[in-house]
Amino acid sequence: MARGKLRIYLGAAPGVGKTYAMLSEAHRRVERGTDAVVAFVEHHGRPRTEVMLHGLEQIRRRELAYRDTVFTEMDVDAVLARRPAVALVDELAHTNVPGSRNGKRWQDVEELLEAGIHVISTVNIQHLESLGDVVESITGVRQRETVPDEIVRRADQIELVDMSPQAIRRRMAHGNIYQPDKVDAALSNYFRPGNLTALRELALLWVADRVDEYLQEYRAEHSIRSTWQARERIVVGLTGGPEGRTLIRRAARMAAKGSGSEVLAVYIARSDGLTSASPKELAVQRTLVEDLGGTFHHVIGDDIPSALLEFARGVNATQIVLGSSRRKAWQYVFGPGVGATVARESGPDLDVHIVTHDEVAKGRGLPVARGARLGRTRIIAGWLVGVVGPALLSLLLTSIANGPGLANDVLLFLFLTVVAALLGGQLPALASAAVGSLLLNFYFTPPTHTLTVSDPKNLVAIVIFFAVAVSVASVVDLAARRTHQAARLRAESEILSFLAGSVLRGETTLDALLERVRETFGMETVALLERAGDVEPWTCAGRAGSDHGAPLLRPEDADVDMPVGDHMALALTGRVLPAEDRRVLAAFAAQAAVVLDRQRLVGEAERARELAEGNRIRTALLAAVSHDLRTPLAGIKASVTSLRSDDVAWSPEDEAELLAGIEAGADRLDHLVGNLLDMSRLQTGTVTPLIREIDLDEVVPMALGGVPEGSVTLDIPEELPIVAVDPGLLERSVANLVENAVKYSPDGAAVLVSASALGERVELRIADRGPGVPDSAKDRIFEPFQRYGDAPRGAGVGLGLAVARGFAEAMGGTLAAEDTPGGGMTMVLTLRAAPGRPPARPDLPAQATT
């Protein structure tokens, strides 16, 4: 008998709709003529789920008595006897009542599958055995009912039932998941937005891993050996040219086709001087990469293909995207190009994509700065062509019986001289002319194999050859110098214009500017040093790069230093710059001084803003003193004057009322002055909490002395962990929060003060049923001297919530405002549990654990 197939609907939390989806699938199968029955489905009083049970055959449950209570469980024997094609079994992780056929429901399901019955079931991600510790660290709740991961992984189909945390909380608030009396507790504890988001991520990642397993199983079954790169890391090689944007967008489209793909754009600059790329274009491409979700990297390397491949293998890349060469056809005489070299040396594990663009074959400029204007490779090649080339050419020509003649021999040697000049510059060309002249004289002018020349015409030919060779070498070298200078000046102007524009627009910070200096000149460390006077020590105002040795303390210790005024200098380490680079470096140094001044001006403006804010607070304080403090003083003064008056004979009741007024006014003054002093301590940073371990139920009741009796409902569980707080600061914070909640609560609606444990945190929640506060004002109500809405004058100076948050943060906690389900506002005070004390593990409602 064939084993039945298992289909599982996996959810991130209770209430996402797993059972509803399972019942919908059952209705679809019944409509197609499939024999599907409900073996066990619990609707938990949810009307929409209960309606979905109508029209489906339900197997009668088995009743079991346990501890004087009757429970119902799935009757496995009845399902086996009925033998349907498909059985619906809800809550796969459920623990059966003692006395059942099996201890766990997943064991019942295994029996049905072995009998050839297909099963559709449901389970939440928190019930997987391997995730128990992770879920507990997130929610603070240890799941008692679990199912082995292997049972779920062996399922033939796993379908994720997904819902956003906001939608789940709305369903909860509307009463679609739990009964109304359990909604507030659930929303405040297990169904918090952060918990639901973390559980949702766990579910998505777990299902993604299962998809990878399905893929591997499929490849194994079909003997597929080639690599399927489902997740890609794509490296984009940039030259700083205009084609870079096309390459970046092409790589982003490639990455979008695969889950989890990543784009890494890399620009490789030579280590000897200014780069040939446009800084403005590179900045645009950097922004484009970051906007598309990729990362930009700047790498120093003289051998571009090797550096690119080294970077790609270092980041475990799977693909490289390069642009078709901008070189013209004749420029390929200098080599195959970066694209061809990378493709040849990439190996089988790294795919190389050559992307066409509008700049193909339109030509590229010569490198702007190359140290000695030519790279080491080209210089070596020039010397080989200039010295070894004539020798090989002589060997070739002497092996020919009837040579091409002296005139053609001279032209061939002249060609080698020109090539040597193009590759290595003037010196290899001069060497080629000298060696060629000697070889022409020795091998090709009679008498041969001697340095004498019998025919004057041949002597003239050799002299003319040498003169032409030297002239060509000089002209080629001069042209290269002029081209180099023009390109260099163009690059310098682009660098300076972009630098000036970015600094004037305030887009560049000092660290970013120094990093640009380091990248542009290929240095190891760049530091901006300054000192107050000629004899004062140097201090570092900013730096970029890493110190391999001792840190820079003086400009004299650097490889390059550029003075900026009398008491500031830009110091660089890594190599000595040529003199022609110092002009651009001087511009960078001047801009660095400007940026530093700008940052200091911004800091001074911030301090001025703080002073203005202090003036505003002082003005508000004067207004509070002039009204809110004078009001109780006026009441006390009037009551005392009345009592001391000899003109009126006060009755004992009147005297008691006047004395009560004096006491109330004095209490109010004490509260207002206390808040003012507390806020002063917070703003001056003189609050030093004395942290010690204490139970919440020792502090919170003491904070309720200032509110009317019966206006607060207290719910502090005894099993809460001990918190590490300053008892005095905590009492003051809670008192302010409770008084504020009572002030805004309507008559007859008590403020609820409750506490709960979540992992290593303890939350104290003060919930009122007042008008509430919109989201846009939830942060503003914690500012000093803020009273939201139409709070009447005399209701306080608006410091209570500010003082409460300040004290909470001083103790290492947080204070935030949330909406109370059903209307009102809830203040959430989060505190740290005492170290080494195990957190409490409150039980969830039955629906959340099954």
Side-chain angles (χ1 to χ4, degrees), residues 751-821:
V751 173
L752 175 62
V753 179
S754 60
S756 60
L758 295 172
E760 298 179 354
R761 308 179 305 251
V762 175
E763 285 191 349
L764 187 68
R765 308 177 72 86
I766 298 93
D768 63 60
R769 292 294 180 179
V773 174
D775 293 339
S776 58
K778 281 188 172 62
D779 286 332
R780 194 166 64 249
I781 61 177
F782 292 102
E783 297 178 4
F785 302 104
Q786 294 291 326
R787 292 185 296 185
Y788 178 73
D790 55 353
R793 297 292 297 179
V797 294
L799 287 176
L801 296 182
V803 169
R805 171 174 275 189
F807 284 171
E809 293 176 350
M811 295 183 293
T814 60
L815 178 61
E818 295 181 358
D819 292 330
T820 302

Side-chain angles (χ1 to χ4, degrees), residues 421-765:
L422 291 174
L423 288 176
Q426 188 175 24
L427 291 179
L430 294 177
S432 177
V435 173
S437 299
L438 293 175
L439 292 176
L440 282 172
N441 184 10
F442 190 80
Y443 287 104
F444 303 104
T445 57
T448 59
H449 301 95
T450 65
L451 294 179
T452 56
V453 180
S454 60
D455 190 347
K457 295 181 180 179
N458 293 336
L459 179 61
V460 172
I462 294 176
V463 171
I464 293 176
F465 161 76
F466 184 80
V468 171
V470 171
S471 301
V472 168
S474 301
V475 170
V476 170
D477 183 69
L478 180 62
R481 290 172 181 268
R482 294 292 183 263
T483 303
H484 162 76
Q485 293 172 357
R488 181 183 183 85
L489 291 174
R490 177 175 58 83
E492 289 181 3
S493 64
E494 289 182 355
I495 291 175
L496 295 177
S497 62
F498 176 72
L499 176 64
S502 63
V503 172
L504 291 175
R505 291 190 299 269
E507 298 174 353
T508 304
T509 63
L510 180 61
D511 291 340
L513 180 61
L514 296 180
E515 180 63 25
R516 181 178 292 278
V517 174
R518 190 188 69 80
E519 292 180 353
T520 299
F521 294 97
M523 307 300 284
E524 294 178 356
T525 306
V526 178
L528 183 62
L529 306 178
E530 63 175 349
R531 60 182 177 180
D534 294 336
V535 295
E536 299 294 330
W538 290 93
T539 60
C540 181
R543 65 181 304 281
S546 59
D547 292 318
H548 296 290
L552 283 176
L553 300 178
R554 300 180 306 166
E556 295 81 3
D557 298 333
D559 296 322
V560 180
D561 69 283
M562 177 59 63
V564 186
D566 295 332
H567 302 122
M568 186 177 293
L570 189 66
L572 302 88
T573 61
R575 64 187 181 88
V576 178
L577 288 180
E580 57 188 0
D581 285 349
R582 296 183 65 87
R583 181 173 62 251
V584 177
L585 182 60
F588 272 109
Q591 293 290 7
V594 172
V595 171
L596 180 60
D597 290 340
R598 182 191 297 274
Q599 288 185 353
R600 289 174 175 170
L601 289 175
V602 170
E604 292 178 1
E606 179 64 23
R607 287 190 291 273
R609 188 195 65 78
E610 293 176 355
L611 291 175
E613 178 66 16
N615 290 333
R616 184 191 70 81
I617 292 178
R618 281 191 290 271
T619 302
L621 176 59
L622 291 175
V625 171
S626 65
H627 186 281
D628 294 288
L629 296 182
R630 291 183 62 184
T631 299
L633 281 175
I636 294 173
K637 176 67 174 177
S639 298
V640 172
T641 302
S642 300
L643 288 173
R644 296 188 62 186
S645 175
D646 297 331
D647 299 335
V648 180
W650 301 103
S651 64
E653 293 80 6
D654 293 334
E655 289 183 356
E657 185 176 353
L658 290 173
L659 290 173
I662 293 173
E663 184 179 12
D667 289 340
R668 185 173 166 192
L669 273 177
D670 179 70
H671 179 71
L672 293 176
V673 173
N675 274 340
L676 289 172
L677 293 175
D678 290 339
M679 180 52 59
S680 175
R681 293 167 59 201
L682 288 171
Q683 290 186 339
T684 56
T686 57
V687 176
T688 304
L690 301 176
I691 304 297
R692 65 185 183 91
E693 299 179 2
I694 193 171
D695 285 322
L696 276 182
D697 54 10
E698 297 181 26
V699 180
V700 175
M702 299 174 59
L704 307 182
V707 297
E709 187 176 354
S711 60
V712 176
T713 301
L714 197 58
D715 181 17
I716 307 294
E718 295 182 357
E719 66 271 12
L720 281 178
I722 293 177
V723 293
V725 296
D726 183 315
L729 298 184
L730 177 60
E731 179 183 347
R732 188 75 174 169
S733 298
V734 175
N736 285 350
L737 295 175
V738 172
E739 290 174 7
N740 185 78
V742 171
K743 181 194 310 180
Y744 287 98
S745 290
D747 295 337
V751 173
L752 175 62
V753 179
S754 60
S756 60
L758 295 172
E760 298 179 354
R761 308 179 305 251
V762 175
E763 285 191 349
L764 187 68
R765 308 177 72 86

Side-chain angles (χ1 to χ4, degrees), residues 238 264-267 282 285-286 289-290 294-298 519:
L238 300 179
L264 302 93
V266 57
Y267 172 72
L282 278 180
Q285 294 175 13
R286 179 196 295 265
V289 170
E290 294 173 351
T295 56
F296 184 90
H297 303 267
H298 193 288
E519 292 180 353

